[in-house]
Amino acid sequence: MTMFHFFNCAILTFGPHAVYYSATPLSEYDTLGTSVKAALVYLGTALVKLVCLATFLNVSESDSFDPYQELLKALIGFIDVAGLYFALTQLTHRNISQNHKFQAVGLGWAFADSVLHRLAPLWVGARGLEFTWDYILQGLEANANLVLSISLAALGSLMWLRKNKPRTLIPIIYACAGIVSTMPSITSYLRRGLGWHFAEVVGFELFVSLVMAFFSWQLFSTCQKPSA
Amino acid sequence: MGKRRLKAVTEYIGQRKPLGGLLFLLPRIFSSEYKDSAGGDDEKPGKELLWNILVELERLLIHANIRYPVYFAFEDDKIDAVLADVKRNDATGLPATATTGGYKLVVTAPEPRKLAPPTMTNIQGWLPGLKADGDSNQLPTIAIVASYDTFGAAPALSVGSDSNGSGVVALLEIARLFSLLYKNPKTRGRYNLLFGLTSGGPYNYNGTHKWLRSFDQRLRESIDYAICLNSFGSVDNELWLHVSKPPENAYIKQIFEGFHNVAEEVDLKVGLRHKKINISNPRVAWEHEQFSRLRVTAATLSELPLAPELLESTGGLFDNRHFVSEAAIFRSIKLVAESLARHIYGQQGKNVNIFADDSSLGVNPSYVQSWLDLLSRTPRVAPFLSKTDPLIMAMEKELEVHTVEVNVQHEVLDGMFTFYDLTNAKLYIYQVASVTFDLLLLLVLGSYLIILFSFLVITTRGLDDLISLFRRPPSRKVKTA
């Protein structure tokens, strides 16, 4: 029953996005448009990243960890952050509270990421006869990615949209944002440089995403207190 | 695989239990890619047993009516691991779960199609003798014949190193030796030599029959006698000369004595076996019987003491390079060549060694070995050998080197059997998860999503909202009431 397996992995990968949208007040305020626009911005940034990678990176035959290449990849990863900035600040939104704006943007961002990176392998691979744990792990990774995207969007909105921030917290905010945005480089270092298995890397990602979500939640609520 | 398991297989096939398919894993030594330094001269008792089991298995498979496909594969590390896993799970009796031993074997192959009636290719080489003052056709002819094709339960594995690879190799070496002698008119004998590589051996020597029918009457009458070569590769020192004419016949006596005398020198024993031909019986067990039916004196030299049944000893699964002894083949070649030469040059009974070892006329071991290796790598079941098959071209070219005139004849095999194509396929083994695993996973995921939903509703909208989701209809009823 391999279509069954595909269905299982699909709901693991894309279900949480739908659940998040319907469970939180996002659905009540009809922020779907924002999410869709954020998804389109993600596609745009992905294209730009692709072009940059193709131009500047030389393909290495071995699967080892090359520091110079990884540094270059991390720098190109910052284009992601730029895209998120664009989505948060430049897109014209209806009158939505800031609280919901970052959630919608993060949701749209994560959904586009999942679809782009995980739908094709799922469709091609999970329907085959051979059973592997890979697609379930990929689904868990998508979940971690959702949490990370929302945290990054929260930190981003703190950095760029909120003008009155307590001075002491600013470096912490930037530090957390830095960690979250360099997650891809960290995971690839773990997989290639240290030789972790996919399952271990996914576990690490889930752990980090929960920790980062907690931190950003705390930061967001403390920043909200003075204005409340 | 022991005798016990062979019995189990026999029962299984006999009871006609419905199976998806049957897969036999052969030991690695049967694979053509297996290189072993130990040649066929070792007498390992394990090998003997294996050999006997395979002979019986092949006989069973050929004669049974099996409704599902039977596949043969070779053991290697990966399939051994899969097999060990399956055995382990079978022993503990656990049902297949995601990571332990549910395997699905898939063979991707198209539906087999019927093949056109097979073409048999007979290759003959002619070495003319020293003409006296008359026509060379008046010189008597000696024919040396060997059939080269095989038959087995698995056509792609029927390489027939012994039956009849050894015969073909012997014929080529004898052709080479006599071509050396016949090159020089001073050493050319007063007999023509006709070498024949025939096809259709397993099918009552149909190819030989058609080849002989195509002969000119004069040629057929000029044949003094024909020697058919069949299987010399086993280690035993005993060969048999099978004849159809009664042993009291003077000519047969002369031929047999010629062989017998040389045999002692070569450390072999030759016995005489007589089998009468029954014209009404279509079964032709030896190649010389086709000659005898056309009144040509002929004999078959073989290591087999008794006439094989139909489709027996036709070079099947078990007939592999590793079971063939090259030393036995060398001795047999020497025997035949020497006996023929003494007859041709009139040196019977004299103490003469024409093809002495280490002389320029000695049997060339590397020639024999390289041809034997080639034949042992090439399956030669007639329906799958086209007219222009590389092996047939190679044998034709080889005879062209050694003989003066080469003719190739193509005939169609009489419709005794229908052949279907598809001798090779790829086997894929997948590790699969059971349906219960999928259902379990669905359950887990469903509950995860529900928990996630509840968690998010509680944290963002409050617990009351969650409860209100389930209580909305009753509250409306209260309102209207």
Side-chain angles (χ1 to χ4, degrees), chain A residues 1 4-5 7-9 11-12 15-16 19-20 22-25 27-28 129-131 133 136 143, chain B residues 98-99 104 106 429-433 435 437-439 441-442 445 448-449 452-453 456-457 460-461:
Chain A
M1 293 276 275
F4 200 162
H5 188 64
F7 176 71
N8 279 343
C9 295
I11 60 176
L12 178 61
V19 163
Y20 192 92
S22 55
T24 58
S27 54
E28 286 178 20
L129 280 174
E130 177 90 9
F131 175 78
W133 288 100
I136 298 178
N143 279 293
Chain B
T99 46
K104 195 167 186 153
V106 176
I429 303 183
Y430 299 103
Q431 184 164 28
V432 290
V435 180
F437 174 78
D438 280 330
L439 285 170
L441 189 62
L442 184 63
L445 287 177
Y448 164 69
L449 284 177
L452 185 67
F453 185 82
L456 286 171
V457 168
T460 52
R461 289 193 267 187

Side-chain angles (χ1 to χ4, degrees), chain B residues 62-78:
Chain B
I62 289 179
H63 293 289
N65 185 356
I66 304 180
R67 285 164 186 269
Y68 40 80
V70 179
Y71 302 102
F72 295 92
F74 298 108
E75 283 179 358
D76 69 359
D77 296 324
K78 295 180 209 161

Side-chain angles (χ1 to χ4, degrees), chain A residues 45-219:
Chain A
T45 42
L47 213 65
V48 172
K49 265 173 58 178
L50 202 70
V51 170
C52 287
L53 279 172
T55 320
F56 295 119
L57 231 55
N58 31 350
V59 180
S60 66
E61 294 297 321
S62 63
D63 206 23
S64 61
F65 184 74
D66 186 359
Y68 180 64
Q69 300 293 329
E70 295 299 324
L71 196 64
L72 218 57
K73 277 194 204 164
L75 283 175
I76 293 178
F78 277 112
I79 297 177
D80 256 340
V81 180
L84 206 57
Y85 170 77
F86 179 77
L88 279 171
T89 56
Q90 307 292 24
L91 292 178
T92 53
H93 305 290
R94 282 179 290 153
N95 220 353
I96 319 169
S97 84
Q98 198 176 56
N99 200 345
H100 296 143
K101 188 195 283 190
F102 82 82
Q103 284 184 40
V105 169
L107 188 66
W109 193 264
F111 186 72
D113 181 84
S114 282
V115 165
L116 216 58
H117 288 172
R118 293 183 191 94
L119 183 62
L122 205 60
W123 178 252
V124 170
R127 286 186 311 145
L129 280 174
E130 177 90 9
F131 175 78
T132 50
W133 288 100
D134 279 348
Y135 299 106
I136 298 178
L137 291 174
Q138 210 180 47
L140 292 174
E141 193 184 17
N143 279 293
N145 196 288
L146 173 63
V147 178
L148 279 174
S149 301
I150 293 180
S151 330
L152 188 60
L155 294 168
S157 78
L158 276 184
M159 286 194 291
W160 301 310
L161 295 178
R162 185 169 287 275
K163 302 302 172 193
N164 45 341
K165 293 177 283 231
R167 275 297 175 82
T168 48
L169 289 178
I170 292 178
I172 305 178
I173 294 173
Y174 278 101
C176 287
I179 293 174
V180 173
S181 58
T182 52
M183 269 306 283
S185 311
I186 298 175
T187 47
S188 91
Y189 170 68
L190 287 175
R191 195 175 318 179
R192 302 217 194 128
L194 296 181
W196 282 21
H197 292 302
F198 192 35
E200 295 164 5
V201 173
V202 169
F204 174 75
E205 274 182 28
L206 282 169
F207 173 71
V208 169
S209 62
L210 288 172
V211 164
M212 281 295 134
F214 178 71
F215 276 144
S216 23
W217 184 30
Q218 289 297 322
L219 286 168

